[in-house]
Amino acid sequence: MRTGNLFVISGPSGAGKGTLVARLLEEVPDAWVSVSATTRLPRPGEKEGVSYFFLDKQEFLDQAAQGMMLEYAEYVGNCYGTPLASVQREMAAGRQVILEIEVQGALQVKEKMPEAHLVFIEPPSLEELERRLRGRGTETDDVVRKRMDTALVELSHKMEYDIRLVNDNLGEAVAQLVAYVNETAEQK
């Protein structure tokens, strides 16, 4: 059995974190993605307990105050957090726990769990990032502008991460991420 680890994957909205994580799960059998809690409304197709745990704001804040969140942050007007108990349980079982969270939360995790491995996913350029965000067709111009402003702040923290991957070529980025997770899991 491999050693359980915590990998925190973050980067700007639109950098391709979700796609990379999905591919990682296909290639690393003992990888497990933590389901975050959020106060935002579900998007079409999202399911409770699978995509997120959808909580009202008071419920979320109560859990955070009780220390039940490994990290939490407010992002574009909504709260997001990682339930601590499930992360601990899966790491103890020898799984490679994946958190796909924003920079603010990633830095909180590193403070609380210095053994966590932080992976920053970068877009090839800011222009490409904006093209990807607009291509979703789910956000208003105002939200895209806010996400681009937030991306600049997030990019300023990339050197605080253990590794940085530019998601320009999906196959190469997946291979680099899989190699990093596997090499880390094999260390005792």
Side-chain angles (χ1 to χ4, degrees):
M1 183 168 91
R2 302 192 321 168
T3 303
N5 290 280
L6 176 58
F7 296 90
V8 180
I9 299 176
S10 51
S13 180
K17 300 179 300 287
T19 301
L20 287 171
V21 167
R23 294 280 299 274
L24 175 71
L25 289 175
E26 292 172 5
E27 299 199 28
V28 179
D30 62 345
W32 178 82
V33 175
S34 174
V35 177
S36 296
T38 184
T39 59
R40 78 160 169 75
L41 295 174
R43 292 181 181 149
E46 290 182 331
K47 292 182 171 57
E48 170 69 22
V50 176
S51 307
Y52 285 94
F53 295 106
F54 296 99
L55 306 174
D56 68 42
K57 195 158 195 169
Q58 191 56 55
E59 194 177 8
F60 185 98
L61 295 173
D62 288 347
Q63 288 187 19
Q66 294 169 23
M68 296 170 66
M69 297 286 175
L70 174 59
E71 58 76 35
Y72 62 95
E74 188 166 330
Y75 183 74
V76 195
N78 293 300
C79 295
Y80 295 84
T82 303
L84 177 59
S86 58
V87 169
Q88 292 173 326
R89 179 188 68 238
E90 297 300 322
M91 284 179 64
R95 291 193 181 76
Q96 310 314 310
V97 176
I98 311 298
L99 301 185
E100 184 187 329
I101 59 176
E102 302 306 322
V103 170
Q104 183 180 353
L107 299 177
Q108 287 179 42
V109 170
K110 193 67 170 181
E111 256 183 49
K112 291 179 186 169
M113 295 181 76
E115 69 275 18
H117 305 279
L118 272 57
V119 180
F120 191 88
I121 307 300
E122 291 183 62
S125 67
L126 289 174
E127 294 78 19
E128 173 62 13
L129 182 64
E130 184 171 352
R131 187 194 69 71
R132 291 176 183 178
L133 289 171
R134 291 191 184 285
R136 290 177 174 174
T138 59
E139 281 124 6
T140 65
D141 285 345
D142 186 47
V143 170
V144 169
R145 277 192 297 281
K146 285 179 185 174
R147 289 193 187 274
M148 290 302 294
D149 290 344
T150 300
L152 293 174
V153 173
E154 291 171 330
L155 285 162
S156 74
H157 289 283
K158 69 183 181 181
M159 298 310 290
E160 297 173 58
Y161 282 67
D162 299 308
I163 68 165
R164 292 155 303 283
L165 302 176
V166 177
N167 187 12
D168 190 11
N169 177 302
L170 182 61
E172 287 176 20
V174 169
Q176 290 170 345
L177 182 58
V178 167
Y180 181 67
V181 169
N182 283 331
E183 287 166 13
T184 302
E186 294 300 327
Q187 296 173 359
K188 299 279 179 194

